[in-house]
Amino acid sequence: MSNPAIQPDLRDLPPQGVQDLLVALGEKPFRARQVLRWLYLGGARDFAEMTDLSKNLRARLAQTARLTDLAPAEIHTSADGTRKLLYELEDGARIEGVLIPEEDHHTLCVSSQVGCRMGCKFCRTGALGFTRHLRPAEIVGQVLAARRLVDQARPLTNLVFMGMGEPLDNLDHLLVALGHILGEHGLQMSQRRVTISTVGLADRLADLGANSPAALAVSLNAPNDALRSRLMPVNRRFSLATLKAALLAYPLKPTRRVTLEYVLLGGVNDRPEQALELAMWCRGLKCKVNLIPFNPHEGAGFQAPDEATVLAFQRVLIDNNLTALFRRSRGAEIGAACGQLAARATAEDDEDRED
Ligand code: SF4
């Protein structure tokens, strides 16, 4: 029987940590490569699956360490094939992810925290408040669990950290998990296809850029400080000028751009003059803009914009030489679209579920 209090979860450790643990068990350092292969590409759920290790080593590993096995407790599928995955963690906390089918691959929307403390006014997760950070094993565990749900015709190749939580608020664990996801001893996913989406914690962007080659998206949602501070409390800590300075200093590769996510709230931030203000703010930034019409949910207090308004907003951006994509959210009817993730924080709240 494993004891979480004293036994390290191997997927919480960077590769060097796994090697150190094996050496402490009297093994040669190269044994770590075998174990790491099982942990990530092999997706082992139990030490017993690591069949090219001796029985004795498997037994000693099971006495010394543990593995978190994340499996969805519930799966809700929408008409377009989007699946909302609900995971129950070992302490009863709940998180959600969204698995989105595309023509030749799947994209997974990954959570980084149980709840969130950023308090964005248009977001269901924000309304729930914050419970705790996810461990690296719980972050990469979502990816391993989703890989089991897809087939080779449409493999899981793309990740977006847009589920519950603010990834940069859990930066240490995020960086370990990104090592597992992108690293040569991990899942070896493409750094272009793994996107970290942040509200713009400007003081952490440099750290992220220095330590991870993943793509970057910033949830902007307003073209000026007055409106952004109203929608996103984080803007009171890091103004748009501060955020822009941090983005200009971000170590982007020559061919890469920052994605600016802009959720269009009907009658709030969707007017042509606001599009123009946004275009002015973007000047000098290597960026593209993703326009995401708001998905109304109960008690949100915001409306969806109509399509003509979205297209007019997009036109202003394009006329000002910006790449502006209009992205329809998927899975709205199962509460899996952007800003709709709201797994109850604990299993005890089950009766309140709306799914
Ligand atoms: S939009 Fe993201 S950062 Fe903002 S409250 Fe929701 S989960 Fe947190």
Side-chain angles (χ1 to χ4, degrees):
M1 178 82 183
S2 72
N3 183 344
I6 51 172
Q7 289 179 249
D9 188 319
L10 288 193
R11 293 191 185 101
D12 279 341
L13 305 176
Q16 185 62 47
V18 173
Q19 181 172 313
D20 292 347
L21 186 139
L22 285 159
V23 169
L25 289 177
E27 295 294 321
K28 294 268 186 282
F30 72 81
R31 191 70 69 203
R33 235 173 294 147
Q34 239 171 314
V35 172
L36 289 164
R37 197 168 171 79
W38 279 113
L39 290 179
Y40 301 107
L41 290 174
R45 308 171 82 168
D46 196 289
F47 293 111
E49 290 177 34
M50 301 183 178
T51 47
D52 58 359
L53 304 182
S54 70
K55 270 194 180 163
N56 178 283
L57 176 55
R58 280 183 262 161
R60 280 182 296 138
L61 275 173
Q63 284 162 6
T64 315
R66 65 194 177 107
L67 295 179
T68 292
D69 176 31
L70 234 57
E74 290 173 32
I75 300 179
H76 301 269
T77 306
S78 75
D80 67 7
T82 300
R83 283 176 275 186
K84 182 162 79 167
L85 316 172
L86 185 123
Y87 302 96
E88 202 170 297
L89 307 177
E90 58 198 354
D91 59 356
R94 291 178 160 205
I95 54 168
E96 288 177 354
V98 185
L99 187 57
I100 306 155
E102 315 279 358
E103 202 177 318
D104 60 355
H105 69 273
H106 276 84
T107 297
L108 180 70
C109 182
V110 183
S111 291
S112 53
Q113 296 175 316
V114 182
C116 184
R117 52 185 162 198
M118 295 299 122
C120 303
K121 296 291 184 260
F122 47 83
C123 173
R124 286 188 79 191
T125 307
L128 292 179
F130 175 74
T131 301
R132 70 170 173 87
H133 295 308
L134 292 184
R135 295 185 285 109
E138 293 168 329
I139 296 174
V140 74
Q142 296 169 62
V143 184
L144 296 173
R147 274 162 56 103
R148 291 184 207 116
L149 298 172
V150 303
D151 57 32
Q152 272 317 302
R154 283 193 289 181
L156 176 61
T157 56
N158 292 42
L159 304 182
V160 288
F161 279 78
M162 283 185 194
M164 300 177 82
E166 160 55 46
L168 300 197
D169 192 33
N170 186 15
L171 186 59
D172 291 348
H173 291 177
L174 175 76
L175 289 175
V176 175
L178 284 174
H180 300 336
I181 289 165
L182 302 172
E184 58 166 326
H185 298 300
L187 290 168
Q188 301 167 11
M189 293 181 78
S190 160
Q191 46 183 258
R192 289 181 155 273
R193 292 170 173 240
V194 174
T195 302
I196 309 303
S197 176
T198 174
V199 288
L201 296 183
D203 60 341
R204 310 237 169 128
L205 280 169
D207 243 11
L208 177 70
N211 292 295
S212 168
L216 179 67
V218 173
S219 183
L220 202 67
N221 309 320
N224 58 59
D225 282 325
L227 180 57
R228 194 163 191 264
S229 293
R230 189 150 67 80
L231 298 174
M232 303 173 71
V234 70
N235 198 71
R236 294 177 206 143
R237 279 167 66 201
F238 303 109
S239 68
L240 280 170
T242 305
L243 175 58
K244 185 166 178 180
L247 291 177
L248 286 169
Y250 196 79
L252 278 181
K253 292 201 174 136
T255 56
R256 308 268 283 269
R257 291 184 284 181
V258 174
T259 301
L260 301 176
E261 308 280 354
Y262 195 102
V263 176
L264 285 156
L265 306 162
V268 175
N269 64 355
D270 62 348
R271 292 193 300 276
E273 60 270 26
Q274 290 168 313
L276 189 59
E277 205 177 355
L278 173 62
M280 295 302 120
W281 186 83
C282 290
R283 281 205 173 151
L285 273 183
K286 281 170 62 185
C287 65
K288 63 177 175 178
V289 182
N290 268 357
L291 299 174
I292 309 159
F294 180 66
N295 290 291
H297 50 81
E298 213 183 306
F302 296 104
Q303 308 291 325
D306 59 54
E307 188 152 331
T309 303
V310 177
L311 293 174
F313 196 96
Q314 182 187 32
R315 173 49 50 201
V316 173
L317 298 181
I318 292 171
D319 289 347
N320 282 275
N321 303 317
L322 279 168
T323 305
L325 307 172
F326 168 18
R327 183 156 74 77
R328 286 179 181 81
S329 277
R330 307 274 298 273
E333 84 271 18
I334 55 166
C338 284
Q340 289 189 334
L341 294 189
R344 300 288 159 173
T346 66
E348 286 84 68
D349 291 326
D350 213 16
E351 286 162 18
D352 295 325
R353 286 185 58 76
E354 294 164 8
D355 305 321

